[in-house]
Amino acid sequence: MGRIVTVAVSTLNQWAMDFDGNLRRILESISQAKAAGAKFRSGPELEISGYNCEDHFFESDTRLHSWQVLATLLASSVCQDMIIDVGMPVMHKNVTYNCRVAFLNSRILLIRPKMQMCDTIMYRESRWFSPWTKERTVEDFFLPRIITQVTGQTVVPIGDAVILTRDTCIGFEICEELWHPASNHINMSLDGVEIISNSSGSVFVIRKAHMITDRVKSATAKAGGIYMYSNLRGCDGGRMFFNGSSSVSLNGEIVTAGKQFSLAEVEVTVATIDLEDVRTYRNNIRSRTHSAARSSPYPRVKVEFSVCDNGPFKLTNDMMDADNLDRKEVGEFHTPEEEISMAPACWMWDYLRRSCQGGFFLPLSGGVDSSSTACLVFSMCNMIVDAVKDGDNQVLADVQKIVGDFTYIPKDPKQLCNTLLVTCYMATENSSSETKARASELASEIGSYHHSIIIDTAVSAVLGIFQQVSNLTPRFRTHGGSPRENLALQNVQARLRMVISYLLAQLMLWVRGRPGGLLVLGSSNVDESLRGYFTKYDCSSADINPIGGISKHDLKKFITFFGYKFNLPSLGKIIQAPATAELEPLVDGQLAQLDEVDMGMTYQELSTYGRLRKVQCAGPFSMFCKLVPLWSHCSTREVADKVKHFYRCYAINRHKMTILTPSCHIECYSPDDNRYDHRQFLYNHTWKWQFDAIDNQIQAYEDDK
Ligand SMILES: *[C@@H]1O[C@H](CO)[C@@H](O)[C@H](O)[C@H]1NC(C)=O
Ligand SMILES: *[C@@H]1O[C@H](CO)[C@@H](O)[C@H](O)[C@H]1NC(C)=O
Ligand SMILES: *[C@@H]1O[C@H](CO)[C@@H](O)[C@H](O)[C@H]1NC(C)=O
Ligand SMILES: *[C@@H]1O[C@H](CO)[C@@H](O)[C@H](O)[C@H]1NC(C)=O
Ligand SMILES: *[C@@H]1O[C@H](CO)[C@@H](O)[C@H](O)[C@H]1NC(C)=O
Ligand SMILES: *[C@@H]1O[C@H](CO)[C@@H](O)[C@H](O)[C@H]1NC(C)=O
C-alpha cells in the first residue's frame, strides 16, 4: 500500500503573450519535476498566457493560442505518467474563467475555474474574468477540436470538483481564494482532500514577506493536509514584480520552499511526504473529524492512477532534519533593505533582456536617488555574475546577447557594470564640486562607464532663443527674480538633462563600438512623485525608473546597507549630504536650495501623508482627524496647515503623476496614476468644502475647551 508521495511546485518567470517562451518554461519545469520523481506537478496562475495579458484577455486569439499550447503539452512525451495542472483562460458558455486544467497521459481530467476574483492593489481580474460561483457543481465542457484530436475526448468536466486517484484526493485553490475569509481549502479538506494545489500570481510589496507564509501555514494548520503553492516570479511585462517563494507545506509547517528573488527562469521545488501524516494529524483533531463526518461531498473525478511510490521506505522532507532539535524555519525572510537590493534588480534584468537593449544610461547626480539607482544596477550585475557562476545558461545566453559577444563570460561584477551601465554627471556652473566628486567616486567603486560633462552652453543657448522673442533675461530668486523666473531657469537646466540623456543613451554604444542602444533610467522616489516635487519631462522622464516605488526613508536605509555589504565608502558621504536639486545658485558659497525646505514638508511627513491618503483612504478631513492625536508636538492649527499644504501641493501637481516613468511597484502608497492609484488629475486646489470641514472641527474643538 503506497503512502509516500512526491509532488512538485514550479516557480516560472513567464511573460505575458510570449506563448512560445511560456511553453518552453512549462515543459522545462515538467521535465525537472519528472526527473525528481514527482507524480504531481503544479504551476503558477495563468502560466500559459502569462498573468498580465490584461485586455488581451478580451481577444479570442489569446484563448486560441492557450489551447494550442495546451495541445502541445498534452501531446508531449515529457508530460506522461504524471498528473499535471496548468493555468490558462477558458471560455465556457461564452463566459471567460481563469482556470486550472488538470491532465494525465494525454487526457484532460478536470477544468477548475477560479472562484474568487482579485481586484485589490494592481489586480483587476473582474475586468476579464468571472468567478465560478456554482459550489460543488460540475458541467460539461465541450473541447475545441484541436484538443479532441490529441485526447480523443469531446466532453470534460468543468467546475468545483476534486480529483480522486487510487491513493489520495487532490483539490485546487486559485490565488485569491486563499486570501478569502471562507477559503475553499477548509471545505475541501473536510471532504477528505489531502493535497491542495494553489496556483498564484502574487506580487512583491515591501515588508509583506510574512503574509503568504502565514496564510499558507495557517491553511493547513487548522485543516491538516499538503498545501502546494506555486507562484510566478519576475517582470512579466508590467509594473509588478512577482515574488516566487513557491512552497510545499504539511499540516501547517512549510517543508520546502523556493527562492523569492532569483534570476532563474524555472525553479522546481519538490517535496516527498507521507500521506499517513496527514491522516494522523487530522484524525487527532477530534472536533475536525466530527465536522468532516457531516460535510457534503465534492464531485470527484476518478482516475486509475497512483501518485504514491510503492515502497514504504523513503526519506520525507519533514524528516530530513528531524534529529536536530534546533531546526530553523524553512523559507527566506529578507529585511526591507535586502528586498530593495533584489526586487528592482531582478525586475530590471527582465526588462533589459526582454527589451533587447544593450544596457542602461543613468544621469548620476551624486544624490541619494540616482546613487540608489546606480547601486541597483550594480546589485543586478552581482546577481548575474553569481547566476552564471552557478551554471545558469539562460542568464549567460541573455547577457551575451545584450553585450553582443557570444564568447563573453561575466566574472567580475564591476567589469560587468562597466559594460552595462553608462553614467554621466551633468554639471552647470551652479553644481557644487562635492556632488561631482561623490558621483565619480561612486562610479569608480561600482565600475560604471562614467563621464562628467558641463551643459551650460546648452542652457545659455536655450535662454538666448528666449531673448530673441522677448528681449528679456529671467533672473534667479537670489538675484532678485520672481518665482516664475526662478522656476523657469531651473526647469531649463532640468529638462536639458533629459534631452542630453536620450542623446547619450542612443549613441554611447556607437561610441563604444557595440550595436544597439541603452535604456534611460530615471530616479525619482515615491515621495517626490506624490508631492509633485519634480520637473515634468526632466530626468524623471525615462524608460524605466527602478526606484519609483520606493520611499526616501527606505532609500537611505538601503544605501547604508548596500555601502556596508559591498564596501562602497562613497555611499557613506552621499547619505550624509543634504538632499538638494542644485538648480539654484549658491549664496555665499552655501546651498540656497534644500529639498525639504523647498517642499515645505519633510520626507518623513510625506510618507505619513502617502500612507494615510492611499492605504487608509483618507481625504483631507480624515487625515486631519488622524494626525491631530498622532502629531501631539503640533497644535491643532499647525496640523491643519500642514494637511492643507500637502493637499494643495498634491492637487496642483497631480497632472505630473499621469506621466510617471514606469517603475516596479514596491510601496503600498505609490501614487502611480497608471495602474495603481486611480484618481482625476485636475482638481480645484482650494478644497473649499474639505478644508472648511477641518476649520469647523477646529472651531468646535476650541469652543469645547
Ligand atoms: C458561446 O455560446 C454559444 C451558444 O450557446 C455556443 O454554441 C458556443 O459554443 C459558445 N462558445 C464558447 C467558446 O463558449
Ligand atoms: C494560492 O495562494 C495564493 C496566495 O497568493 C493565492 O493568491 C492563490 O489564489 C492560491 N492559488 C490556488 C490555486 O489556490
Ligand atoms: C463551504 O461549505 C459550506 C457548507 O456547505 C458552504 O456554505 C460554504 O459556502 C462553502 N465555502 C466555500 C468557500 O465554498
Ligand atoms: C510576495 O508578495 C506578496 C504581496 O506583497 C506578499 O503577500 C507575500 O507575502 C510575498 N511573499 C513572500 C514570500 O515574500
Ligand atoms: C549659476 O549661478 C550664477 C551666479 O552664482 C548665475 O549667474 C548663473 O546664471 C547660474 N547659472 C545657471 C546655468 O543657471
Ligand atoms: C475653486 O473653488 C473656490 C471655492 O469654491 C472657488 O472660489 C473657485 O472659483 C474655484 N476655482 C475654479 C477655477 O473654479
Side-chain angles (χ1 to χ4, degrees), residues 179 202-205 208-213 243 245 260:
W179 302 100
S202 174
V203 300
F204 169 75
V205 173
K208 290 278 194 301
H210 58 282
M211 280 178 63
I212 286 268
T213 329
N243 63 355
S245 312
Q260 184 176 13

Side-chain angles (χ1 to χ4, degrees), residues 121 123 179 201-215 229 231 241-246 258-261 331-334 339 665-666:
I121 56 169
Y123 296 94
W179 302 100
S202 174
V203 300
F204 169 75
V205 173
I206 195 165
R207 297 194 177 82
K208 290 278 194 301
H210 58 282
M211 280 178 63
I212 286 268
T213 329
D214 292 354
R215 292 287 152 86
Y229 171 69
N231 194 16
F241 179 76
F242 293 101
N243 63 355
S245 312
S246 301
K259 292 199 181 70
Q260 184 176 13
F261 305 109
E332 295 177 299
F333 286 96
H334 299 289
E339 291 181 331
H665 177 81
I666 291 177

Side-chain angles (χ1 to χ4, degrees), residues 485-544:
E485 293 169 62
N486 193 51
L487 207 55
L489 284 175
Q490 296 184 52
N491 288 349
V492 167
Q493 302 174 51
R495 291 203 176 104
L496 282 169
R497 290 200 174 120
M498 186 273 284
V499 172
I500 294 164
S501 293
Y502 271 93
L503 177 70
L504 292 175
Q506 257 167 355
L507 294 182
M508 280 314 283
L509 288 186
W510 173 61
V511 173
R512 300 179 77 186
R514 269 166 52 195
L518 301 171
L519 289 165
V520 179
L521 295 181
S523 13
S524 84
N525 60 60
V526 73
D527 297 313
E528 282 172 353
S529 302
L530 174 62
R531 163 67 177 74
Y533 186 65
F534 65 92
T535 304
K536 212 173 181 181
Y537 305 118
D538 70 348
C539 287
S540 62
S541 292
D543 292 315
I544 52 172

